[in-house]
Amino acid sequence: NPATTAGGENQFVLPYGHGGGGPRQALHFQRYIEKYGASREALADAVLNDHKNAQLNENAVWYGREVSRDDYLNARVISWPMTLFDYDMPVDGSGAVIMTTEDRARDTSHPGGYIAGYGMTPHNLERGGLIESLEDLYEMDGLHAENLYRSAGLGPEDVDVLHLYDGFSPMMWTRMETFRFCGEGEAHAWATAER
């Protein structure tokens, strides 16, 4: 962060090293552990599965650099209980979605696809304070999921492949739950190596 001053809520957090998304996720993860009896060892299953999958794609950033359970559990702490392998890794890249009408798409070389619906997290519901609680996060992400499902006319039972953003590892659990692939507080047991 090149800033030399901090205003707004940042004046209360940046001087103490608490900036960006990771520390926020760390607080949510700590609350999740306390509330649902989860552990970092359980989250290791999801993280290690991601790294295993990266070995199937020669273009993946982590291709050829698989992480072991020992590596994960003994990694350097960034914001407890999150360590180095729980954090978003800056990667240069870009993506684009080109949208057009169905009629025009028929004349292209790529068959394309259809957008069934969309949804966004309603951040306008944040109650204030420096960081929303895990419970507030569940409420906002739950509304995001409902908006998406309602817009698409689909539900979790219609999903064949679950691809979650894993920039911060604990987000996978809360998204599995708020998008109703398992119950609240169940992801740490649902997404395990034994499953």
Side-chain angles (χ1 to χ4, degrees):
N1 184 352
T4 57
T5 61
E9 69 181 40
N10 286 332
Q11 66 187 306
F12 301 108
V13 294
L14 288 181
Y16 305 100
H18 189 83
R24 169 177 269 141
Q25 293 298 322
L27 292 173
H28 293 153
F29 186 28
Q30 182 64 43
R31 174 70 174 133
Y32 188 98
I33 287 171
E34 292 170 359
K35 188 172 183 176
Y36 300 117
S39 66
R40 288 190 63 249
E41 290 77 9
L43 187 56
D45 287 339
V47 173
L48 295 175
N49 188 59
D50 282 354
H51 285 273
K52 179 181 166 189
N53 289 335
Q55 305 316 305
L56 303 173
N57 179 354
E58 64 185 34
N59 296 310
V61 171
W62 284 94
Y63 183 75
R65 301 187 298 167
E66 194 164 354
V67 176
S68 72
R69 180 172 287 279
D70 191 53
D71 293 335
Y72 175 78
L73 293 175
N74 294 302
R76 179 171 52 96
V77 172
I78 305 296
S79 288
W80 183 257
M82 289 173 55
T83 63
L84 183 65
F85 295 117
D86 292 312
Y87 267 70
D88 206 351
M89 180 178 152
V91 177
D92 289 336
S94 64
V97 176
I98 299 172
M99 297 173 58
T100 187
T101 64
E102 185 177 357
D103 292 339
R104 291 181 73 187
R106 283 191 201 114
D107 295 331
T108 66
S109 58
H110 190 282
Y114 296 93
I115 297 174
Y118 65 92
M120 293 179 63
T121 300
H123 289 286
N124 61 306
L125 297 179
E126 289 179 354
R127 290 181 172 83
L130 297 178
I131 294 178
E132 71 277 355
S133 68
L134 178 67
E135 292 74 16
D136 287 347
L137 177 71
Y138 272 104
E139 180 183 355
M140 288 186 300
D141 281 353
L143 288 170
H144 175 178
E146 291 309 311
N147 290 338
L148 175 63
Y149 289 143
R150 188 178 313 110
S151 175
L154 302 169
E157 65 280 355
D158 299 307
V159 176
D160 294 325
V161 176
L162 179 59
H163 181 150
L164 297 168
Y165 171 71
D166 63 347
F168 299 105
S169 303
M171 294 174 75
M172 292 187 286
W173 282 353
T174 55
R175 292 287 166 89
M176 287 174 196
E177 296 172 5
T178 57
F179 279 75
R180 299 192 331 251
F181 292 101
C182 59
E184 186 174 315
E186 296 177 1
H188 67 99
W190 185 77
T192 65
E194 291 80 39
R195 189 160 160 64

